[in-house]
Amino acid sequence: MAILKVSRLGHPVLRNVAHAIDPKRITSPEVQRLIDDMFDTMREYSGIGLAAPQVHEGLRLFVAGTAAKPLGSVVSDEGEMPLMALINPELTLAGEPTELGWEGCLSIPDIRGRVPRAPEVQVKAYDRAGRQVAFTAKGFPARVIQHEYDHLDGVLFFDRMVSFESLTFLEEYERYWVRHEDGEDDDAE
Ligand code: ZN
């Protein structure tokens, strides 16, 4: 178990396209240790997702979620997002990436911005046991998965923003934006 150093905006590893992991290597001690360390690191920094390039590993792997529960065929906004480690994931967006929602990133500390994402996504990947899994993610989990997947292609959430008007430091986010949006339709602005 170890807390890994998180790469920050400007480090080239965040802009490179990550390499697929040979499925036969998924159960190797090296990959299993990396997955354990990524879960530890994500928890340490109170993240809900962490991709391998964020810990200086150019591999197509990310971890996400908050609750130790099995991964069903649908991961929705109901209940906590199950913990998952996804290897060589493939996403198919269902619907246009037009739903605006707030995102932050452990590699871009203390910044928030509103990012358009698809409301639903079909996910195919290997799990940490080397098994192929397929499920549908909706709502916030779909957003987290799209964010983490982007890291594997060297894409950061800034790149997806259609306007920087909502770009804000965390302190100002909490002071001005959270309260401001109470009771308002997110899409109405
Ligand atoms: Zn991120």
Side-chain angles (χ1 to χ4, degrees):
M1 259 177 57
I3 309 296
L4 303 173
K5 188 173 183 206
V6 175
S7 55
R8 296 184 2 139
L9 182 66
H11 195 295
V13 72
L14 290 172
R15 289 308 196 174
N16 295 338
V17 176
H19 299 285
I21 299 176
D22 180 347
K24 293 193 289 288
R25 280 194 59 226
I26 293 172
T27 53
S28 69
E30 297 77 29
V31 174
Q32 292 293 310
R33 190 178 317 121
L34 174 62
I35 292 169
D36 286 337
D37 290 348
M38 285 174 63
F39 275 123
D40 287 344
T41 305
M42 180 177 77
R43 268 189 289 266
E44 172 73 12
Y45 296 108
S46 305
I48 194 163
L50 183 71
Q54 294 184 275
V55 291
H56 306 84
E57 295 283 353
L59 298 171
R60 300 190 79 80
L61 153 68
F62 66 78
V63 298
T66 53
K69 62 181 186 185
L71 187 60
S73 59
V74 177
V75 177
S76 73
D77 277 324
E78 276 172 46
E80 282 189 69
M81 185 175 174
L83 288 167
M84 59 184 78
L86 298 180
I87 295 113
N88 302 345
E90 291 172 35
L91 302 192
T92 307
L93 304 190
E96 293 297 306
T98 53
E99 204 149 284
L100 284 175
W102 288 100
E103 294 186 21
C105 182
L106 293 181
S107 295
I108 311 172
D110 300 331
I111 299 272
R112 295 289 181 275
R114 289 206 307 194
V115 184
R117 298 288 186 186
E120 187 177 318
V121 62
Q122 314 287 340
V123 184
K124 282 169 69 178
Y126 290 92
D127 69 10
R128 69 176 300 168
R131 293 179 297 234
Q132 286 184 293
V133 293
F135 63 95
T136 300
K138 298 179 179 184
F140 185 67
R143 173 173 300 280
V144 172
I145 286 168
Q146 288 170 80
H147 177 119
E148 299 311 328
Y149 179 88
D150 270 354
H151 276 299
L152 309 183
D153 287 338
V155 173
L156 301 172
F157 82 82
F158 285 4
D159 304 332
R160 298 285 188 194
M161 292 177 74
V162 285
S163 160
F164 292 131
E165 177 256 352
S166 67
L167 201 59
T168 174
F169 287 107
L170 185 57
E171 192 181 328
E172 281 72 13
Y173 166 76
E174 285 162 356
R175 194 187 296 171
Y176 300 111
W177 289 88
V178 180
R179 199 170 44 192
H180 176 65
E181 292 198 341
D182 274 355
E184 286 188 16
D185 181 356
D186 211 34
D187 296 323
E189 290 175 55

